[in-house]
Amino acid sequence: MSLGSFRLDSGGLIDRGRKISFTFDDRIYHGYHGDTLASALLANGVRLVGRSFKYHRPRGIYGLGSEEPNALVRLRQGARAEPNIRATQIELYDGLVAHSQNNWPSLRWDISSTLGLFSRFLPAGFYYKTFMWPGKFWPYYENFIRHMAGMGRSPEAPDPDRYEKRHGNCDVLIIGGGPAGLAAALSAAKGGALVWLADEGARLGGRCLGDGNETVRETIATLASLENVTVLRRTTVFGKYDDHLYGLLEHTGDHLASPARGMPRQRLWHLRTKQAVLASGAIERPLVFANNDRPGVMLTTAVLHYLRAYAVRSGKRAVINTSNDSAYRAAQILAAHGIEIAAIVDHRPGTKRRDMPGVEILPGHAVIDTSGGRDLTGVTIARLAGNGDTVRGSERRLDCDLLCLSGGFTPCVHLYSQAGGKLTYRQDIQSLVPQSDVPGMLVVGAAAGEFGGDEFAGGEAAMGRPISLSKSRRKQFIDLQNDVTAADVELAAREGYRSVEHVKRYTTLGMGTDQGKTSNLNGIAALASALDKPLADVGITTYRPPYTPVTIGALAGREIGVFLAPTRRTPMQDCHEKAGAVFTPAGLWQRPHYYPRPGETATDAVNREVLAVRRNVAVVDVSTLGRIDLHGPDVVEFLDRIYINGFNTLAVGMCRYGVMLRDDGMIFDDGTVARMSETQFIMTTTTANAGPVMAHLEYYLQVVWPELRVHLTSITDQWAVAAVAGPRSRDLLDSLDSSIAFASQAMPHMAWRAGHIGGIPAQVFRISFSGELAYEIAVPADHGHALWELLLATGGGFDVIPYGTEALTTLRTEKGHFVMGPEADGRATPGDMGLRAMLSAKKDFVGRRSLRLPGLAPAGRLNLVGLIPVDGGSSIPAGGILLQSQVAGPLPDKAGHVTTSVFSASLDKPIALAMVRDGRQRLGEELWAHSPLDGRIIAVTITDPVFIDPKGERLRA
Amino acid sequence: MLLIHCPHCGPRAQTEFSYGGDANVARPPAPEETDDRTWTDYLYLRDNAKGSHAELWQHIFGCRRWLRLHRDVVSHEITSCSDLPRPRTGNGS
Amino acid sequence: MSRYSFASLVRHGVMGHRGWKPVWRDPEPKSSYDAIIVGGGGHGLASAYYLAKNHHLNNVAVLEKGWLGGGNTGRNTTIVRSNYLLDANARFYEHGMKLWEGLSRDLNFNVMFSQRGVLNLAHSKGQLETFRRRGNAMRLNGIDAELLNRGDVAALVPGMDLSGNARFPIEGGLLQPRGGTARHDAVAWGYARAADRRGVDIIQNCEVTGIRRDRTGVTGVETSRGFIASKRIGLAVAGHSTQLAAMAGVRLPIESHVLQAMVSEPVKPVLDTVVTFGAAHLYVSQSDKGELVMGGDIDGYNSFAQRGNLPVIEHVAACLLALFPQFSRLRILRTWGGIMDMTMDGSPIIGTTPVPGLFLNGGWCYGGFKATPASGWVFAHTMATGQPHSLNADLNLDRFRQGRVLDEKGAGPYPWAH
Ligand SMILES: Cc1cc2nc3c(=O)[nH]c(=O)nc-3n(C[C@H](O)[C@H](O)[C@H](O)COP(=O)(O)OP(=O)(O)OC[C@H]3O[C@@H](n4cnc5c(N)ncnc54)[C@H](O)[C@@H]3O)c2cc1C
Ligand SMILES: [Zn+2]
């Protein structure tokens, strides 16, 4: 057959003026603008396009759209390569490159197809029955299975294209642009509704594409002219979600070699509608018989589609195998376009159709086998007997290169099912159709089983049921993509996997990338025969979204790379960057971890920063701490109920440290509260808990104690805060132009003052985390940068340096301060942290009642303690587990664990904090810190957690 | 995705809200006077109704109000969304 | 019933596979049993198997309202691991891990247990330190664990983006080499076949609608197929524990939530390890069929609908691309949801209830698939002896009354937070 002879000289919706070249498996072919890859391949006489999943059988183009099970290719190259794309949905563009997949060394000669020889030993679920001995071999078997499975290859480079998300709202969403959808859109639009219409295809028209239907053409034109109608072509409605939200995937750039400039490749729509109209049509059902999978075996509607829309003949001589009347009209059209009809083989014994002069019509017959190698050369037919599922009499062979199958039509009810709709079996069309409306969704046209006209009239034959060929071992495929045969379904039933869901899972029926669009109903029919049950009683597997596969990139949208989550920056962030800080993530923030100088190691830098705080003065950015403004007459009462300690004695101008619990008695957060005025307070929270604490406070205020008159405002973002710490911090502040008196008498420990520093309005809080004399200076966020520069200006001779969170960790460890996370890990009570004295006896507070539960009683709980190495020099393994002995027996009793381990530059030795069972009563005892992860076991002594200045003289200095 | 009709902000996507659980769980007004059983009932036990469920949601990316919804937990249909009951007076300090 | 083996496969193959017999019988329920297990998921079936095997209780029925394994057993992302911090959890799950390692042969059914390693990623030094504590605790509990630095991670998972340009650059991770995945359906089927073989009646399409009790305890269950008597009833109904317990007047510290999962189209092997993202919620592995199997957080509100919404799916996709930008052009093939019991502390509940004769196996949260063998083992023990096994002694219901919760995450009494 010469190349090109499959294309008709005229007709079709292609643009013959625009010739396009493309390659498939490295061979150059030509097609026209308006072609799909499938139509262009067929036009070039390319019939073999892929290999099947399990047996690597040769396969050709089978369908016309998203139902295609066979023709999956690897499209494009390099970073744009993508596997498993259906040739039927690829619009041809100049330079298109596609490759077949799942074969080696080539599509024609695929070694793995020899698997077919052993297929009798590889029935459905064979892997459950073997590969168990010897047990240690399983990884090898598995490796082999994994390499045999899979379809295409994953891309290896990051995606160069962009994806976008948009939100839309409308009154009516029409799903499907075939005749029913178009009619629905028009009538809704005429009623003034805001209408959106989405269709998978590049052109509207559905099954009327290219058939010259005038009404359809006019409707499309009218819709295009209406302002209240939005038409989305190349757009799949893939899922129905709660409250009438639909997920739509618009292929904005897939029909081009690469997306147009400034355009995304795909756009994901979240479309909320009041009403949806499901007009998704119906998909033709194949018939099941031996070797029904060769290239050249196609759905009749597909053959028609290629002829009308692309002017492509899918073959030269066709046999039509049908069980309904629609194929007769198709046969006429095929014949009219020069495809020879060898015969119409009709399963129905009683059919009276005789309207094709010159064509042999064989009622009560079926195709029972096909012949050919990688291409169809003929079919075997026989007369049917019994229920139409057994064969009688002699077989006959017919030569053909095209076999058109038409086993009836299956409505596309996926979205209806996703919306919770129930299906019912209709005998006349032998299909499952919507039982009743679901709120907000109307099903119309073929999707509702209304096929209209005689074209789609059904028949009485056993559509889609496999024909029982008792001794035959030849494969009768039901699911072409996953190579599930009628025998597999029978085997499942025989072995007791009788629920449809069991059959699906045992055989993998319908679990391919086509989601069984052509196989599900035939599978049910096969199961019904195997179980000898009416089809209606077999049930159906649930349809799971999406309707067709959705690109992961489109689901992620712009939330990729650094945009995965917002990055929060403090007002001083660029100062840190300029200073060469190494950053560490803290929630959404990036905080300076330390500021290395040239040639310094991390340890050097941290030690230098720690010593600067202990001996001189240094500055840290604490803008990330949460800040909440509390206002109102009942704030004190509220704070008393929230914190474990009391606040009614807190004077204006002073601050107090507080700890809050969850109601289950566990520490939730800690921070300070400053009293700004009689009725206004500012609370700080830990960085990580800024959001949760705010929500916690709002919960108690709004839900539990609505009678309290307190107003909350989160002000974290309004302030920039720097902590100045070290014995010379006051000297530094005194050296600056400020309206505030920093002397201890004027501003004692835990006092706060307002004023200005260097002309910047500021609130200064004398609080300390490091245990040194320290001030936290809060300025309006806009001034943060200026404040930081002012503090770090080298002019005053203070040699001020910035320090990061690692030094902060060392400093607080030296002081024995616990933090949320390592020590207070959501399982710790105030008693565990040695805070019993803080618990107010005078009032109730959140979490207090839980502290009386038996499990929270002090005895036997983990307590915060310090650790030092017995040898004085070994570092204590972070995350080490503390045991009584050096030798860890099996399942040893744990005494506790190391929570924070640092080298204390101030003390010049390693120290650690730990949580130890009854630890406070065990000071001085020795334990072993085990870290099997790095093979270390270190003897440690339990100490008080406060290593430096236990009396707090330095911070009060 | 749920569409929650906030009485203050209008219909908004569920992603603007954060979930707060069963709205019928009442914190005992005088915790210290309750026994362990009553207290742990409050802390831990839930009816987990299958059907209409009264629940709390906070409009965190909106008005920040805690709201009370009735939602069918099988169909996810929201039948009401309102503010919490007004405060009883007299308890404040 | 024939044993499965390579030889039997060949023998049956020669005969066209017409000789295979049903894997389980389809018996009518008897009027009474020594023990009844409600729920034909992995846990119910495993419990029945071990009741028969370890405790010689063979007059046992498993009642399933739909089809075996149709609940979460057939919906999960099949991750198996025992990398827990708290002793009670770690020792329980590690017992399970040991059972997994011999399960295919014990059941004579290949459950395709694949010990490809489970890797938790860390994105900061602090997170790595938390992993260090967990890894050390695991090792001392006899569980395998390795702390990986960035280079180790790169060697283990070649395709991962370790460029440091990511929003949450990877610092390292905690690996449990013996962790992995298994074929979920096969677990249900394998246990069902093995239990059936030991005389257990597996009854599908039999919904329990009521629990009868008298002063001494439970006396039987009302079902869609009539009353069935038994003085020993075990509940193993995953997301419906509260519903069933309520039939006996018991309230539980559990809420039902929907968890979604999804798979991509199948591709040739690209990922040999189970990977969890440490900066947000994502876990991903590649099935033997080639699909990337993924999940994330629960949708976050009470639900009995076996379907979820888009935000979680979109977030999972975004997290996946944070680790593997090259998967952007792959496509999600299917998504689905399962109803899960979320407990108030994130740990399961296996043990006795206040009603004599009524036993509870539930509260599995995200992680009950991996527990299947261990759960069946200790639940069978508890049902047979009336006493918890040492491995589930701490997993009792009473812990909530006592304030002895097992809060692995330290997230507090909010079921949706675990
Ligand atoms: C999406 C998802 C992902 C998950 N991923 C993982 C994972 O990676 N690793 C992991 O370890 N775990 C995972 N899990 C959790 C795990 O799936 C479950 O914890 C586990 O399967 C529970 O098993 P089961 O036997 O208890 O429950 P199920 O398998 O749900 O079985 C319970 C059975 O009880 C039946 N039943 C309910 N009510 C009645 C009644 N009234 N009468 C009779 N029968 C009844 C149900 O029909 C059901 O078959 C995941 C869960 C989900 C939903
Ligand atoms: Zn609002």
Side-chain angles (χ1 to χ4, degrees):
Chain A
M1 218 174 270
S2 71
L3 274 179
S5 63
F6 291 95
R7 181 87 71 181
L8 303 178
D9 295 336
S10 62
L13 305 171
I14 47 172
D15 181 352
R16 285 166 204 267
R18 290 167 74 184
K19 204 168 170 183
I20 281 177
S21 68
F22 68 99
T23 71
F24 177 64
D25 277 350
D26 304 321
R27 269 193 67 177
I28 298 176
Y29 298 95
H30 296 284
Y32 294 111
H33 187 82
D35 260 328
T36 62
L37 177 61
S39 69
L41 287 171
L42 285 169
N44 282 280
V46 178
R47 314 261 291 190
L48 173 65
V49 296
R51 291 278 173 174
S52 66
F53 188 80
K54 185 173 170 190
Y55 302 126
H56 291 249
R57 307 251 307 187
R59 293 286 167 78
I61 289 154
Y62 192 76
L64 58 88
S66 60
E67 83 287 9
E68 173 63 43
N70 285 343
L72 306 187
V73 301
R74 177 176 172 86
L75 182 65
R76 307 172 205 268
Q77 286 173 299
R80 287 204 165 88
E82 27 178 343
N84 306 338
I85 308 294
R86 280 179 276 274
T88 51
Q89 293 190 294
I90 300 167
E91 292 176 53
L92 206 64
Y93 55 82
D94 207 17
L96 180 146
V97 176
H99 284 96
S100 61
Q101 41 178 42
N102 206 31
N103 58 68
W104 189 85
S106 75
L107 179 57
R108 288 188 72 75
W109 306 104
D110 180 9
I111 291 269
S112 301
S113 64
T114 51
L115 264 186
L117 301 176
F118 305 101
S119 63
R120 70 160 65 164
F121 306 118
L122 310 175
F126 70 95
Y127 28 79
Y128 299 130
K129 294 177 175 145
T130 183
F131 299 139
M132 286 178 272
W133 306 267
K136 62 175 182 296
F137 274 33
W138 166 242
Y140 302 101
Y141 296 134
E142 184 185 36
N143 198 28
F144 175 73
I145 293 176
R146 286 188 65 197
H147 281 87
M148 289 309 295
M151 297 279 288
R153 278 180 291 124
S154 160
E156 280 155 16
D159 193 339
D161 292 336
R162 205 166 53 82
Y163 301 83
E164 182 179 282
K165 286 186 193 174
R166 286 184 69 180
H167 295 254
N169 289 285
C170 64
D171 297 326
V172 185
L173 167 65
I174 315 274
I175 303 162
L182 291 170
L186 191 62
S187 74
K190 283 191 174 145
L194 203 60
V195 176
W196 284 44
L197 183 150
D199 192 280
E200 279 187 324
R203 298 191 189 89
L204 300 182
R207 69 176 160 85
C208 292
L209 252 190
D211 74 349
N213 184 317
E214 275 304 307
T215 328
V216 166
R217 210 180 51 79
E218 278 162 23
T219 311
I220 294 172
T222 315
L223 289 175
S225 70
L226 294 175
E227 258 171 27
N228 54 338
V229 178
T230 304
V231 174
L232 293 177
R233 292 176 301 139
R234 303 186 175 102
T235 303
T236 306
V237 182
F238 65 79
K240 149 91 175 67
Y241 300 93
D242 286 330
D243 286 328
H244 310 299
L245 184 87
Y246 288 80
L248 278 63
L249 186 67
E250 184 183 4
H251 296 264
T252 42
D254 282 328
H255 58 296
L256 306 169
S258 58
R261 252 181 83 86
M263 285 290 283
R265 175 190 173 213
Q266 294 173 357
R267 182 180 286 144
L268 189 93
W269 287 92
H270 290 199
L271 187 67
R272 196 97 52 184
T273 183
K274 297 195 179 104
Q275 173 76 37
V277 177
L278 186 65
S280 45
I283 290 172
E284 194 159 31
R285 224 157 34 223
L287 293 157
V288 181
F289 48 88
N291 294 312
N292 55 341
D293 65 327
R294 288 186 210 286
V297 179
M298 295 178 71
L299 295 177
T300 307
T301 37
V303 173
L304 260 186
H305 176 74
Y306 291 115
L307 198 62
R308 295 200 296 213
Y310 307 101
V312 173
R313 283 190 283 253
S314 301
K316 305 216 141 165
R317 184 177 150 88
V319 167
I320 292 177
N321 189 19
T322 186
S323 62
N324 65 84
D325 279 356
S326 72
Y328 286 82
R329 179 147 162 65
Q332 281 169 348
I333 300 171
L334 263 51
H337 288 89
I339 298 179
E340 184 187 344
I341 307 294
I344 299 179
V345 182
D346 194 330
H347 281 218
R348 300 168 298 176
T351 186
K352 301 273 167 2
R353 302 287 301 238
R354 285 286 179 272
D355 45 3
M356 299 261 318
V359 172
E360 185 176 11
I361 293 175
L362 295 158
H365 279 66
V367 173
I368 60 165
D369 200 353
T370 69
S371 44
R374 293 185 206 90
D375 205 346
L376 183 72
T377 55
V379 299
T380 308
I381 61 167
R383 180 179 288 280
L384 289 174
N387 259 347
D389 54 6
T390 48
V391 173
R392 184 176 68 199
S394 59
E395 300 176 357
R396 199 179 126 196
R397 198 190 127 95
L398 293 171
D399 285 342
C400 63
D401 65 349
L402 179 63
L403 173 59
C404 305
L405 303 181
S406 181
F409 292 81
T410 308
C412 288
V413 290
H414 300 65
L415 289 163
Y416 168 81
S417 290
Q418 283 183 33
K422 294 273 170 294
L423 300 171
T424 178
Y425 182 69
R426 241 175 76 187
Q427 179 64 34
D428 61 335
I429 55 168
Q430 301 192 346
S431 268
L432 293 161
V433 295
Q435 196 171 60
S436 57
D437 285 341
V438 287
M441 184 187 283
L442 204 66
V443 189
V444 301
E450 297 151 11
F451 297 144
D454 67 322
E455 247 196 61
F456 292 100
E460 287 302 303
M463 285 181 208
R465 282 207 196 181
I467 296 161
S468 148
L469 306 168
S470 47
K471 293 218 179 59
S472 167
R473 288 239 176 80
R474 290 166 295 178
K475 294 202 177 332
Q476 309 186 50
F477 288 95
I478 294 178
D479 181 327
L480 273 79
Q481 186 172 115
N482 274 353
D483 282 343
V484 180
T485 65
D488 289 329
V489 174
E490 280 163 27
L491 174 65
R494 187 177 308 130
E495 293 196 81
Y497 300 98
R498 290 184 181 151
S499 137
V500 263
E501 289 282 358
H502 281 159
V503 173
K504 162 179 145 188
R505 288 148 182 269
Y506 191 61
T507 64
T508 72
L509 177 90
M511 297 183 82
T513 67
D514 57 347
Q515 292 220 34
K517 292 192 174 61
T518 55
S519 63
N520 282 336
L521 209 75
N522 286 348
I524 295 171
L527 181 61
S529 326
L531 298 177
D532 209 9
K533 270 196 192 173
L535 193 148
D537 295 354
V538 170
I540 183 164
T541 58
T542 36
Y543 290 105
R544 290 170 167 180
Y547 175 62
T548 55
V550 176
T551 315
I552 294 174
L555 289 166
R558 298 298 297 141
E559 281 163 33
I560 50 166
V562 292
F563 302 121
L564 176 64
T567 304
R568 297 184 72 178
R569 296 170 61 87
T570 75
M572 292 83 128
Q573 198 87 5
D574 45 355
C575 304
H576 308 319
E577 284 164 3
K578 231 180 286 162
V582 171
F583 291 90
T584 185
L588 295 176
W589 303 96
Q590 287 287 328
R591 297 190 71 183
H593 199 195
Y594 52 90
Y595 299 80
R597 286 180 178 165
E600 248 183 2
T601 64
T603 320
D604 295 342
V606 172
N607 289 346
R608 173 176 52 75
E609 291 170 16
V610 167
L611 292 177
V613 175
R614 292 272 176 246
R615 294 177 187 167
N616 185 29
V617 54
V619 194
V620 63
D621 180 359
V622 290
S623 310
T624 60
L625 296 185
R627 283 181 113 68
I628 297 168
D629 178 291
L630 301 94
H631 220 120
D634 296 332
V635 176
V636 170
E637 173 64 22
F638 180 57
L639 293 174
D640 272 348
R641 296 185 194 186
I642 286 291
Y643 282 111
I644 64 171
N645 46 328
F647 280 81
N648 58 354
T649 55
L650 180 64
V652 174
M654 295 302 290
C655 313
R656 183 164 293 171
Y657 172 72
V659 171
M660 59 176 85
L661 312 183
R662 299 187 306 236
D663 234 354
D664 66 352
M666 300 302 159
I667 296 177
F668 174 50
D669 204 53
D670 66 346
T672 55
V673 174
R675 188 164 199 164
M676 313 309 283
S677 74
E678 271 309 304
T679 55
Q680 191 201 354
F681 295 70
I682 288 179
M683 170 191 290
T684 65
T685 75
T686 58
T687 298
N689 275 338
V693 168
M694 183 73 186
H696 177 85
L697 300 183
E698 286 168 327
Y699 174 84
Y700 280 97
L701 263 186
Q702 295 180 36
V703 181
V704 185
W705 307 308
E707 68 281 4
L708 292 185
R709 291 158 299 164
V710 176
H711 190 84
L712 303 173
T713 314
S714 167
I715 54 170
T716 310
D717 293 341
Q718 275 66 50
W719 294 88
V721 191
V724 182
R728 296 183 70 203
S729 52
R730 181 160 42 219
D731 300 342
L732 171 68
L733 295 183
D734 279 339
S735 76
L736 303 171
D737 164 34
S738 174
S739 60
I740 303 169
F742 297 104
S744 261
Q745 308 90 300
M747 186 174 182
H749 179 55
M750 298 307 271
W752 78 270
R753 298 289 178 264
H756 73 84
I757 296 179
I760 306 169
Q763 293 171 351
V764 181
F765 304 81
R766 186 171 164 191
I767 49 186
S768 171
F769 194 47
S770 57
E772 296 299 328
L773 174 66
Y775 300 85
E776 279 188 20
I777 306 169
V779 300
D782 286 354
H783 297 283
H785 192 115
L787 173 73
W788 191 259
E789 293 198 328
L790 179 72
L791 293 173
L792 282 165
T794 45
F798 286 94
D799 194 19
V800 190
I801 59 162
Y803 65 105
T805 55
E806 190 59 26
L808 208 57
T809 298
T810 306
L811 292 162
R812 66 98 184 160
T813 304
E814 292 171 345
K815 276 300 286 182
H817 287 311
F818 73 90
V819 293
M820 299 305 303
E823 287 85 25
D825 57 3
R827 293 180 289 266
T829 65
D832 298 349
M833 293 301 156
L835 301 177
R836 287 193 84 78
M838 252 177 97
L839 296 173
S840 167
K842 291 194 222 104
K843 55 161 191 140
D844 197 3
F845 53 84
V846 172
R848 177 176 182 180
R849 176 63 186 83
S850 289
L851 300 176
R852 271 173 33 214
L853 294 174
L856 279 70
R861 290 195 59 91
L862 298 174
N863 299 159
L864 176 69
V865 293
L867 299 177
I868 49 169
V870 170
D871 67 9
S874 299
S875 74
I876 300 169
I881 304 295
L882 298 165
L883 301 184
Q884 215 65 50
S885 62
Q886 186 176 8
V887 184
L891 306 186
D893 257 343
K894 297 175 181 138
H897 58 275
V898 182
T899 54
T900 308
S901 170
V902 299
F903 176 79
S904 163
S906 324
L907 303 169
D908 196 25
K909 65 176 185 193
I911 58 167
L913 294 179
M915 298 297 291
V916 172
R917 199 162 304 287
D918 295 319
R920 270 193 306 281
Q921 283 129 58
R922 300 169 66 177
L923 302 188
E925 265 183 51
E926 280 182 22
L927 291 173
W928 294 86
H930 288 245
S931 180
L933 286 176
D934 38 26
R936 298 186 66 218
I937 301 174
I938 304 293
V940 294
T941 307
I942 305 177
T943 68
D944 189 89
V946 185
F947 293 92
I948 280 188
D949 187 26
K951 296 216 179 83
E953 285 157 357
R954 301 167 75 119
L955 56 92
R956 290 197 176 79
Chain B
M1 190 176 14
L2 307 178
L3 187 68
I4 298 177
H5 290 257
C6 173
H8 306 281
C9 314
R12 296 299 185 92
Q14 152 218 328
T15 43
E16 291 187 9
F17 296 79
S18 96
Y19 186 59
D22 190 336
N24 290 333
V25 174
R27 189 173 192 270
E32 284 303 313
E33 284 146 39
T34 62
D35 57 11
D36 282 2
R37 201 185 167 80
T38 314
W39 182 249
T40 52
D41 273 5
Y42 146 73
L43 271 182
Y44 297 117
L45 297 196
R46 298 294 179 263
D47 287 338
N48 194 32
K50 182 173 183 174
S52 182
H53 188 240
E55 58 196 27
L56 295 172
W57 289 78
Q58 188 186 10
H59 195 184
I60 49 167
F61 295 118
C63 59
R64 290 201 72 94
R65 298 292 303 175
W66 280 93
L67 305 168
R68 188 185 168 95
L69 268 75
H70 281 94
R71 187 175 57 91
D72 185 303
V73 292
V74 180
S75 71
H76 290 179
E77 191 192 346
I78 298 168
T79 46
S80 76
C81 174
S82 56
D83 269 329
L84 296 170
R86 303 295 303 163
R88 291 146 282 146
T89 44
N91 252 5
S93 60
Chain C
M1 182 189 291
S2 60
R3 262 189 83 72
Y4 290 161
S5 67
F6 183 66
S8 74
L9 194 62
V10 171
R11 200 169 61 243
H12 281 279
V14 173
M15 295 167 359
H17 298 287
R18 281 166 209 283
W20 292 111
K21 292 280 172 301
V23 275
W24 47 74
R25 295 164 296 128
D26 189 9
E28 279 302 310
K30 294 190 236 169
S31 60
S32 85
Y33 287 94
D34 293 341
I36 284 177
I37 289 168
V38 187
H43 289 240
L45 294 164
S47 303
Y49 171 67
Y50 293 119
L51 269 177
K53 184 181 175 203
N54 296 356
H55 304 279
H56 310 289
L57 266 177
N58 308 70
N59 185 25
V60 172
V62 176
L63 309 181
E64 165 55 48
K65 72 174 171 192
W67 39 281
L68 294 184
N72 292 344
T73 299
R75 293 170 181 273
N76 71 88
T77 45
T78 80
I79 301 170
V80 176
R81 57 188 177 87
S82 56
N83 55 359
Y84 281 80
L85 171 70
L86 304 179
D87 286 347
N89 281 331
R91 292 172 186 180
F92 169 78
Y93 284 107
E94 177 56 16
H95 180 66
M97 183 63 81
K98 296 215 173 75
L99 293 173
W100 276 110
E101 286 172 328
L103 197 59
S104 292
R105 270 156 295 149
D106 184 33
L107 300 179
N108 181 233
F109 200 103
N110 191 350
V111 298
M112 306 178 89
F113 179 46
S114 168
Q115 294 182 285
R116 51 181 72 183
V118 172
L119 171 66
N120 300 157
L121 294 171
H123 307 268
S124 68
K125 185 166 165 269
Q127 206 170 12
L128 214 48
E129 225 122 272
T130 319
F131 284 179
R132 206 177 257 282
R133 173 180 167 202
R134 179 150 58 95
N136 280 328
M138 287 164 64
R139 288 280 280 268
L140 291 173
N141 276 323
I143 304 169
D144 58 321
E146 290 171 22
L147 201 67
L148 307 189
N149 62 27
R150 193 185 295 198
D152 302 332
V153 171
L156 184 71
V157 192
M160 190 140 69
D161 180 12
L162 285 146
S163 62
N165 303 328
R167 174 66 184 84
F168 299 105
I170 293 158
E171 284 282 326
L174 183 67
L175 176 72
Q176 184 183 18
R178 282 158 68 239
T181 57
R183 174 85 186 103
H184 53 18
D185 293 325
V187 173
W189 300 339
Y191 270 118
R193 174 168 167 269
D196 175 271
R197 224 180 220 198
R198 290 180 183 265
V200 171
D201 279 359
I202 293 169
I203 302 163
Q204 302 186 68
N205 300 311
C206 180
E207 177 166 5
V208 171
T209 53
I211 296 176
R212 263 196 222 167
R213 52 186 285 197
D214 62 16
R215 274 162 294 113
T216 61
V218 293
T219 56
V221 291
E222 315 279 357
T223 80
S224 53
R225 293 167 74 166
F227 176 75
I228 309 174
S230 183
K231 289 198 164 304
R232 222 177 328 220
I233 298 171
L235 305 179
V237 291
H240 287 85
S241 296
T242 50
Q243 260 51 44
L244 272 288
M247 292 175 191
V250 178
R251 268 177 103 210
L252 297 178
I254 289 177
E255 280 183 2
S256 296
H257 284 256
V258 68
L259 176 64
Q260 300 192 72
M262 62 210 79
V263 295
S264 73
E265 293 185 342
V267 285
K268 295 291 178 194
V270 281
L271 179 60
D272 299 334
T273 313
V274 182
V275 178
T276 74
F277 192 29
H281 216 152
L282 162 82
Y283 32 93
V284 55
S285 65
Q286 188 176 21
S287 73
D288 284 350
K289 209 185 155 199
E291 301 147 330
L292 295 173
V293 184
M294 296 169 259
D297 266 320
I298 51 177
D299 272 24
Y301 40 85
N302 289 38
S303 176
F304 282 90
Q306 282 184 334
R307 60 191 167 78
N309 278 304
L310 269 179
V312 168
I313 297 170
E314 295 177 279
H315 185 63
V316 164
C319 292
L320 178 74
L321 298 189
L323 297 180
F324 303 100
Q326 69 273 30
F327 293 160
S328 170
R329 295 176 89 90
L330 295 184
R331 303 188 293 172
I332 294 293
L333 175 58
R334 254 178 286 124
T335 73
W336 65 89
I339 307 162
M340 300 192 309
D341 281 357
M342 293 299 296
T343 57
M344 287 285 172
D345 62 356
S347 294
I349 303 166
I350 328 176
T352 55
T353 69
V355 182
L358 183 70
F359 301 87
L360 173 67
N361 172 332
W364 290 102
C365 304
Y366 292 72
F369 176 66
K370 62 178 173 291
T372 307
S375 156
W377 187 279
V378 301
F379 197 49
H381 178 102
T382 309
M383 284 184 71
T385 64
Q387 298 297 323
H389 187 280
S390 64
L391 287 172
N392 63 326
D394 290 342
L395 300 174
N396 59 20
L397 188 53
D398 208 39
R399 69 178 188 264
F400 295 95
R401 290 254 177 264
Q402 303 278 329
R404 297 185 206 281
V405 296
L406 294 166
D407 190 346
E408 188 84 19
K409 270 175 84 178
Y414 315 103
W416 56 89
H418 291 285

